[in-house]
Amino acid sequence: MKGELSNLAMDTQDLNKTNRRHCVHASLRQSSRLITSFYADAMHDSVLQGTQFTLLSTIAAMPQCTVSTLSDYLVMDQTTVTRSVKLLEQAGFIQFKKLKDRRKRQLIVTAQGQQALDDAYPLWLAAQEHIWAHLSEDDIKQILTLGNKLAALSKESTIK
Amino acid sequence: MKGELSNLAMDTQDLNKTNRRHCVHASLRQSSRLITSFYADAMHDSVLQGTQFTLLSTIAAMPQCTVSTLSDYLVMDQTTVTRSVKLLEQAGFIQFKKLKDRRKRQLIVTAQGQQALDDAYPLWLAAQEHIWAHLSEDDIKQILTLGNKLAALSKESTIK
DNA sequence: AACAAATATATGTAGATACATGTTTTTATG
DNA sequence: CATAAAAACATGTATCTACATATATTTGTT
């Protein structure tokens, strides 16, 4: 670096000064920390962490969900999913079911897991409503479509 | 949840179907994972992790940098910064300098740390260029300004 | 059928993250 | 000045994350 602050975030006034000194990586991670904190506050009274809510609700909605299909869908490393679902299993929110293909383990939400989801849902929804009330439709669309753009970015990468 | 997939990400075709089932939290964390992976690939040959590059370059640029001022600037928890700078110190990239106020420790980049920064800089810049080449100016501005909007969101939160 | 390749999952290790709490030092207040 | 309050930093604990690698099982090939 050249001795200047890397300006993770930008002020609205700085819009026209966008240049490559602003680190997209640092900025996005900061946003991730902020949104994580926001949802953590909103779901404080739930037994589920924000991330666990995402995992559990996805498992509940995916037919024939396994570690692999889950990690594909959420774009998480398989080993991360293995560890995360282990915590959900230990908490009693899911259980593993053996399949004919004995390498696979189907993930099934238990009654206790469904109850946790039902209890957490209004808290999650309140957080969502708050977001929709305070961010513009454009901002939200941008956030929700960013993943696709970044995935494309990695695929066509000529860097490595 | 109601048994539907929460649709973390959206397809471009889904733009007009934006609704509160799309989880901003999950989507943003996914983007954070993707961008982290992208920069990690780009900086594979550096001794610095992407996050360490952010920390170290910020320390280098901040006058009178301490754990507190650094955590304020980067919007990270103080305990996270304490642990992160400890790793940088153990790697020889920074050192701690005692101040008159003996509670504080000034963070100072060592020659070795500066060398690591200089070596990593072109790799980081190549990643930046790649981003600028493949994302629209609007997308990038959006990313770089998102932090401010989310920070405001948390402040005025009525949820908790 | 035998063996190589691919698939699914797990484990070792380590960094990033933050909450609750503790310690030390400084500042403020009576 | 003495004591309470605040500030700065550290530690215990726990989740999230992923790379390298290992193990088990299935599939493909000869």
Side-chain angles (χ1 to χ4, degrees), chain A residues 1-12 15-16 18-44 50-51 53-54 57-58 60-63 73-77 114 117-118 121 123-151 153-154 156-160, chain B residues 1-12 15-16 18-44 50-51 53-54 57-58 60-63 73-77 114 117-118 121 123-151 153-154 156-160:
Chain A
M1 293 292 286
K2 304 304 183 191
E4 315 140 15
L5 281 173
S6 52
N7 291 321
L8 319 181
M10 291 175 64
D11 268 317
T12 317
L15 279 180
N16 294 322
T18 306
N19 65 50
R20 287 160 182 69
R21 282 190 305 104
H22 296 99
C23 183
V24 171
H25 175 233
S27 217
L28 209 34
R29 285 188 72 102
Q30 180 179 309
S31 292
S32 177
R33 288 194 296 272
L34 284 165
I35 201 76
T36 297
S37 165
F38 177 76
Y39 276 78
D41 285 348
M43 303 189 64
H44 187 264
T51 303
F53 180 79
T54 301
S57 58
T58 305
M62 280 183 80
Y73 181 74
L74 294 177
V75 194
M76 296 173 72
D77 192 88
Q114 189 57 54
L117 274 180
D118 292 342
Y121 184 73
L123 303 176
W124 172 81
L125 192 59
Q128 294 283 106
E129 300 284 359
H130 195 75
I131 301 264
W132 254 263
H134 290 84
L135 292 187
S136 73
E137 195 76 10
D138 269 356
D139 283 335
I140 295 175
K141 282 181 186 173
Q142 194 84 25
I143 293 171
L144 296 177
T145 54
L146 186 56
N148 292 322
K149 295 169 187 168
L150 294 178
L153 190 77
S154 297
E156 57 184 62
S157 175
T158 55
I159 284 185
K160 190 182 157 286
Chain B
M1 292 293 285
K2 303 305 183 192
E4 314 139 17
L5 280 172
S6 51
N7 290 321
L8 320 181
M10 291 175 65
D11 268 317
T12 317
L15 280 180
N16 295 321
T18 306
N19 64 50
R20 289 159 181 72
R21 282 191 304 106
H22 296 99
C23 183
V24 171
H25 175 232
S27 215
L28 208 35
R29 285 188 72 101
Q30 179 179 306
S31 291
S32 177
R33 288 194 296 272
L34 284 165
I35 202 75
T36 297
S37 164
F38 177 76
Y39 276 77
D41 284 349
M43 304 188 64
H44 187 263
T51 303
F53 180 80
T54 301
S57 58
T58 305
M62 280 183 79
Y73 181 73
L74 295 177
V75 194
M76 295 174 73
D77 192 88
Q114 188 57 52
L117 274 180
D118 292 343
Y121 184 75
L123 304 176
W124 172 81
L125 192 58
Q128 295 282 108
E129 301 284 0
H130 195 75
I131 300 265
W132 255 261
H134 290 83
L135 291 187
S136 73
E137 196 77 11
D138 270 355
D139 283 336
I140 295 176
K141 282 180 186 172
Q142 194 84 25
I143 293 171
L144 297 175
T145 53
L146 187 56
N148 292 323
K149 296 169 186 169
L150 294 179
L153 190 76
S154 297
E156 57 184 61
S157 174
T158 54
I159 284 186
K160 189 181 158 290

